[in-house]
Each structure stands twice: as C-alpha cells, then as structure tokens.
Amino acid sequence: MAEADEERQVCDVAVTLAFSVLGKRWNGMIVSSLGGGPSTFVALRRAVGGISDTVLSDRLAELADAGLVARTVDAGPPITVSYALTPSGEGLLPILDQLGRWASANLAERAH
C-alpha cells in the first residue's frame, strides 16, 4: 500500500509539472499547431487565432525553455525565424490528440 501511495505522489508531481507548462492558455494550441511542421511567427499567430504578438512571443519562449520548441534563425537574406517541435514536443502530439478525443466525447455539450 505504501508503494502505491509513493507512486501516486510521484505521478501527482509529474502531472503538476506538465500542467505548469501545458496548462497555460495557448500552449497546447501552439504545440498542436507545430505538429504540422515548422512554422513562422506570423503563421503561428494565424493558426492559433486570437493570441496577441506579446503573448505568443512569451509562450514560445516558455515552450523553448521547457525544451518543447526550438527556434531557428536563417540568416537569409531575408532573415527568417522558424519554430519547430523538439523530440520532446513531438512526444506530446499523441497525448494532445487523445486529450482532444476525450474532450469531444466528454465536453462537447459545454462547447456550445
């Protein structure tokens, strides 16, 4: 019984850590949008919709600090900056897909 409690505590800490990154508004949408491949800032802003430049910039920096997104600068000309998922970020895609399926099945009525 103590072993099960210890495993639950470890899991709770891990879930808390995951939601400290993914629980912020827009982060899941940004990761999901990057699931289609690398993207520029402007394309991400369009894909996510409703997010300000400042918030998108902040969220991309947070996701990069968490090791989920990589920023690449191509010196050009013209200089272009793109964002892509790291292998850790790509590992979230099946989880986000499953979460979306769960939401469709269980929260569909709340969306209307």
Side-chain angles (χ1 to χ4, degrees), residues 5 22 43 73 101:
D5 289 341
L22 294 175
V73 178
R101 291 171 195 253

Side-chain angles (χ1 to χ4, degrees), residues 30-50:
I30 293 167
V31 170
S32 182
S33 293
L34 288 172
S39 186
T40 64
F41 187 91
V42 172
L44 273 173
R45 188 180 61 219
R46 272 192 234 117
V48 173

